[in-house]
């Protein structure tokens, strides 16, 4: 049933009439923090559509195209499939399956998927329907117990660097056990502001390159850095940081990080 709903939700019935499913199933948060010691974490959904919806929920480990039955993650969701009438709510219970392979020295990131489609309609030979599914996908952070440091202090531990020469670039090292979710980065060089509107999420004990288009290779005087991060509640926090002129690649090999 899970597989059928996934395929049915993402499939398209070619037709004359289009029925677009908007963001009608609302999740009560923009990210999920799962303390590894918790028996369960509850996420609430609300159907703000004008009619019933079929809802499927599952968790993946970063592959957005993986079907629910092919997602090998240490979590169970109850219920995985449900019908929600208009104006009603539904609680999703997420349970972590303790495994010996669990990484205990840093956070791990997964993704919670919520897929909503209209119930099937009988289409006559004269009238067909084009149905689209709408999927919401938010991050789920599995947080081991007794990680060093406090999550609210992580941003102050970040180490920023700016390379000179032909390969001008901005890098950031995260020496902590927590993920850092950058939401915007602004760099002022020679009195000119440059921005990265899609900066990366920096994984624990990793470095990342912050893509800022058209950085100058000449005047790098007076560097000033402002950036924002997203906290556990999804709220934006504003920060400033000092920069060092070094070869960023020498700080630590750049590691690919998921999108913020």
């Amino acid at each position: 049933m899970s597989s059928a709903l996934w395929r049915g939700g993402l499939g398209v019935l070619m037709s004359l009439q289009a029925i677009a499913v908007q963001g009608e199933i609302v999740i009560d948060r923009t990210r999920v923090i799962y303390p590894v010691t918790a028996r369960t974490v509850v996420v609430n959904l609300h159907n703000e559509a004008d009619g019933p919806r079929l809802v499927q929920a599952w968790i993946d480990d970063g592959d957005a195209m993986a079907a629910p039955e092919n997602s090998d993650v240490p979590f169970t969701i109850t219920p995985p499939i449900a019908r929600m009438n208009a104006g009603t709510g539904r609680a999703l219970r997420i349970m972590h399956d303790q495994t010996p392979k669990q990484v205990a020295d840093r956070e791990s990131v997964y993704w919670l998927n919520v897929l909503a489609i209209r119930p099937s309609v009988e289409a006559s030979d004269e009238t067909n329907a084009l149905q689209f599914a709408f999927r919401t996908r938010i991050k789920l952070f599995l947080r081991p117990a007794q990680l060093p440091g406090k999550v609210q202090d992580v941003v102050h531990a970040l180490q920023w660097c700016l390379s000179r020469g032909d390969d001008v670039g901005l890098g950031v090292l995260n020496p902590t056990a927590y993920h850092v979710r950058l939401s915007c980065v602004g760099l002022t060089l020679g009195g000119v502001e440059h921005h990265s509107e899609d900066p990366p999420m920096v994984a624990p004990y990793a470095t990342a390159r912050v893509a800022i288009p058209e950085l100058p290779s000449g005047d790098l005087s007076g560097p000033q850095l402002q950036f924002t991060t997203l906290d556990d509640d999804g709220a934006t926090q504003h920060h400033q940081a000092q920069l060092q002129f070094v070869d960023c690649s020498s700080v630590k090999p750049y590691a690919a990080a998921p999108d913020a």
Side-chain angles (χ1 to χ4, degrees):
M1 184 175 182
S2 173
S3 176
L5 179 55
W6 162 257
R7 291 194 296 268
L10 296 187
V12 176
L13 302 176
M14 298 306 297
S15 67
L16 301 177
Q17 178 184 1
I19 305 176
V21 179
Q22 305 299 324
E24 300 165 328
I25 301 299
V26 177
I27 307 176
D28 68 347
R29 68 199 70 187
T30 60
R31 62 206 59 239
V32 179
I33 308 298
Y34 196 117
V36 75
T37 55
R39 295 183 61 183
T40 184
V41 168
V42 176
V43 175
N44 294 303
L45 309 179
H46 191 265
N47 183 3
E48 298 187 358
D50 57 0
R53 295 292 182 266
L54 294 178
V55 178
Q56 181 177 16
W58 72 98
I59 296 171
D60 69 68
D61 61 359
D63 183 357
M65 300 307 296
E69 64 270 20
N70 295 330
S71 185
D72 183 17
V73 297
F75 294 96
T76 302
I77 293 183
T78 303
I81 299 175
R83 175 188 169 97
M84 294 181 62
N85 290 326
T88 63
R90 169 75 68 169
L92 293 179
R93 297 187 179 276
I94 303 175
M95 291 159 285
H96 176 237
D97 307 324
Q98 301 284 344
T99 64
K101 296 181 180 180
Q102 174 186 309
V103 178
D105 67 341
R106 69 194 67 188
E107 274 187 340
S108 300
V109 62
Y110 299 88
W111 295 80
L112 170 64
N113 299 264
V114 176
L115 177 72
I117 64 173
R118 294 173 182 260
S120 299
V121 295
E122 295 294 336
S124 66
D125 293 337
E126 293 80 14
T127 303
N128 293 317
L130 175 62
Q131 289 187 299
F132 292 102
F134 184 90
R135 178 171 62 161
T136 301
R137 192 166 178 260
I138 64 174
K139 296 182 184 69
L140 186 159
F141 295 95
L142 179 63
R143 183 169 293 170
Q146 299 179 340
L147 290 180
K150 298 180 179 180
V151 65
Q152 60 268 28
D153 297 332
V154 167
V155 68
H156 304 298
L158 296 178
Q159 300 173 25
W160 298 84
C161 59
L162 184 62
S163 295
R164 292 182 182 273
D166 295 333
D167 186 24
V168 178
L170 179 65
V172 56
L173 166 65
N174 176 14
T176 76
Y178 301 88
H179 287 82
V180 177
R181 286 81 78 185
L182 299 171
S183 56
C184 185
V185 175
L187 177 63
T188 300
L189 293 172
V192 179
E193 294 185 359
H194 305 271
H195 295 276
S196 174
E197 298 298 340
D198 188 24
M201 178 172 69
V202 191
Y205 307 117
T207 59
R209 183 99 177 215
V210 180
I212 300 181
E214 301 180 358
L215 277 181
S217 58
D219 185 5
L220 302 182
S221 62
Q224 299 178 8
L225 180 68
Q226 299 84 33
F227 64 99
T228 58
T229 58
L230 299 178
D231 63 17
D232 282 355
D233 297 320
T236 300
Q237 305 295 330
H238 297 264
H239 315 278
Q240 294 182 338
Q242 298 294 322
L243 285 176
Q244 295 179 332
F245 285 105
V246 298
D247 181 2
C248 290
S249 62
S250 68
V251 174
K252 192 176 183 180
Y254 285 124
D259 293 335

